[in-house]
Amino acid sequence: YSNFIDDLRVYVRGGTGGMGYPSLGGEGGRGGDVWFVARERTTLKSIREKYPQKRFVAGAGANSSVRALKGEKGKDCEVHVPMGISVLDDDGKQIGELNAAGERFLAAPGGLGGSLATNFLPCKGQRRTVHLDLKLIADVGLVGFPNAGKSSLLSKISHAKPEIANYAFTTIQPELGKIMYADYKQILVADLPGLIEGAHANKGMGHKFLKHVERTKQLLLVVDISGFQLSVKTQFRTAFETILLLTKELELYKEELLKKPALLAINKIDLPCAKDNLDELTTQLQNPQDFLHLLEEEMIPANTLEFREVIPVSTYTGEGIEELKTCIRKSIDEQAEQVNEEYRKKKLLLLQTSK
């Protein structure tokens, strides 16, 4: 994670108000405010590099005077932050979020200027430490254990060029790619660092990975048809067991993640043993309850994921890649239509009740 920052702790302070003018009843200017403003092509890393002190202080309000009984407001401090930011206080409570370019959040309001109400003495602006917590916004999040072929898949379906190698944990920071369609529709796909068993308890990259899944609209599980084994010290898992373990990790972190629409890509079907393994997996997926005994009891998820589509692919030969892109597009379009339909129903219900 050395080159990727998804959490930054900063100090913010609103400006102090200006002094009032007691003999003439003059009011000092308000202190300036500190604002977080969402911008494209901004990263938390660039903020840290540009402002190594990580302190943001707004200007003080002008004092009241004979020439200007009403002092001018202090200069605001605007901090450009990436989209997909949650603003948390020091206790970890969320106090705001910025999801779209141009959205603003008042991080620290300035103090009032001196006036009759304050005995003409100025007030200090708010001061506090806040955390900027980044969660990537993408249409589809790739979920899978290390070496399942997520990076290879992303490079095949989009224009991304992630680092790819034949060992676990190639991806140590999120990668984003865009799938471009003939009608110019674009779908953003995030390849997120590989999960391992126990990620929900913050093992491996744990929460560093899982929090990014929260803001993706859909999940695309990527599973190696020949199974998975992290190292010689860990247990070998079949493709079916891998799917259950991934489901369990998502469930233990946050149950709502299992309500997201999900697709399943079965990768490496060009391997010699793939056909037999695929037949076995298809049978297991049709009746998952009959095969739960294959895993230890504590590894079995309370709810199994229902996949909209199961697509066998090979990132090596390119087999199934176009079909996968079509399925992703169809699933995203169906979800958008469903959201629109729910919105229309709510609007209609509001109109009926207001009448």
Side-chain angles (χ1 to χ4, degrees):
Y1 265 109
S2 57
N3 293 319
F4 180 78
I5 301 170
D6 53 12
D7 179 71
L8 194 65
R9 189 168 179 262
V10 298
Y11 173 79
V12 289
R13 191 179 85 204
T16 305
M19 291 286 289
Y21 203 116
S23 58
L24 296 176
E27 284 185 23
R30 265 189 67 114
D33 305 317
V34 180
W35 293 88
F36 293 143
V37 185
R39 286 280 186 273
E40 291 180 359
R41 291 186 289 279
T42 302
T43 64
L44 291 182
K45 188 185 177 196
S46 66
I47 296 172
R48 193 179 69 174
E49 287 173 350
K50 193 174 179 182
Y51 308 99
Q53 300 295 320
K54 295 177 286 185
R55 288 172 59 88
F56 301 99
V57 180
N63 295 335
S64 173
S65 65
V66 176
R67 291 182 178 179
L69 288 178
K70 175 75 176 171
E72 282 190 17
K73 185 178 183 290
K75 189 179 180 184
D76 287 349
C77 172
E78 285 197 356
V79 186
H80 293 169
V81 299
M83 296 178 291
I85 284 286
S86 295
V87 186
L88 314 175
D89 63 16
D90 244 356
D91 297 325
K93 181 186 173 189
Q94 184 171 315
I95 52 176
E97 62 179 1
L98 299 152
N99 292 325
E103 284 189 6
R104 299 164 66 84
F105 173 74
L106 180 58
L112 293 172
S115 65
L116 186 62
T118 65
N119 202 22
F120 297 99
L121 295 172
C123 299
K124 290 182 176 179
Q126 185 180 20
R127 56 185 71 195
R128 59 180 169 179
T129 302
V130 295
H131 291 262
L132 300 177
D133 189 38
L134 174 68
K135 291 174 188 170
L136 294 178
I137 299 172
D139 298 307
V140 180
L142 301 184
V143 178
F145 284 140
N147 222 26
K150 300 192 307 303
S151 297
S152 302
L153 188 64
L154 185 70
S155 67
K156 284 284 183 184
I157 62 176
S158 75
H159 296 288
K161 293 179 174 62
E163 185 185 339
I164 297 164
N166 60 350
Y167 53 85
F169 291 120
T170 310
T171 306
I172 55 169
Q173 64 184 47
E175 291 275 359
L176 288 172
K178 278 182 184 174
I179 308 179
M180 310 285 284
Y181 292 90
D183 60 354
Y184 303 106
K185 166 87 173 179
Q186 297 180 12
I187 290 177
L188 198 61
V189 182
D191 169 26
L192 305 159
L195 278 167
I196 63 168
E197 288 179 41
H200 69 278
N202 223 4
K203 285 185 184 176
M205 294 184 182
H207 295 178
K208 283 272 190 188
F209 162 83
L210 286 163
K211 73 172 188 177
H212 291 299
V213 181
E214 291 182 54
R215 283 198 181 160
T216 57
K217 292 178 187 173
Q218 301 198 2
L219 307 177
L220 173 58
L221 268 69
V222 185
V223 173
D224 186 334
I225 189 59
S226 56
F228 170 71
Q229 187 173 19
L230 184 64
S231 71
V232 289
K233 294 178 183 176
T234 58
Q235 197 171 336
F236 173 79
R237 303 295 187 185
T238 65
F240 178 69
E241 289 170 346
T242 302
I243 293 165
L244 291 180
L245 286 168
L246 287 169
T247 307
K248 183 70 173 177
E249 290 302 332
L250 294 172
E251 180 182 85
L252 287 170
Y253 177 72
K254 200 165 273 189
E255 274 188 64
E256 299 93 86
L257 295 178
L258 299 189
K259 294 176 183 172
K260 290 180 183 283
L263 302 170
L264 175 62
I266 311 293
N267 194 18
K268 306 185 184 179
I269 57 161
D270 54 285
L271 296 176
C273 59
K275 191 182 182 309
D276 293 339
N277 288 346
L278 187 59
D279 291 341
E280 184 184 3
L281 179 60
T282 305
T283 307
Q284 290 168 330
L285 288 173
Q286 284 168 351
N287 300 291
Q289 299 300 325
D290 297 345
F291 299 94
L292 295 181
H293 64 273
L294 296 171
L295 274 178
E296 300 91 331
E297 195 172 333
E298 66 273 13
M299 303 280 194
I300 300 169
N303 299 292
T304 50
L305 271 171
E306 288 188 19
F307 299 107
R308 291 189 170 192
E309 299 278 354
V310 178
I311 310 102
V313 298
S314 167
T315 53
Y316 182 71
T317 65
E319 187 180 345
I321 296 296
E322 288 304 315
E323 186 191 346
L324 176 61
K325 286 165 73 171
T326 304
C327 288
I328 291 172
R329 170 72 185 269
K330 182 185 169 197
S331 187
I332 290 286
D333 287 348
E334 283 174 358
Q335 186 182 14
E337 184 53 42
Q338 190 180 342
V339 169
N340 289 339
E341 186 59 35
E342 286 170 7
Y343 177 74
R344 284 195 291 268
K345 282 179 182 175
K346 277 184 186 174
K347 278 292 210 185
L348 190 61
L349 193 64
L350 279 169
L351 282 169
Q352 288 169 346
T353 49
S354 62
K355 285 178 184 176

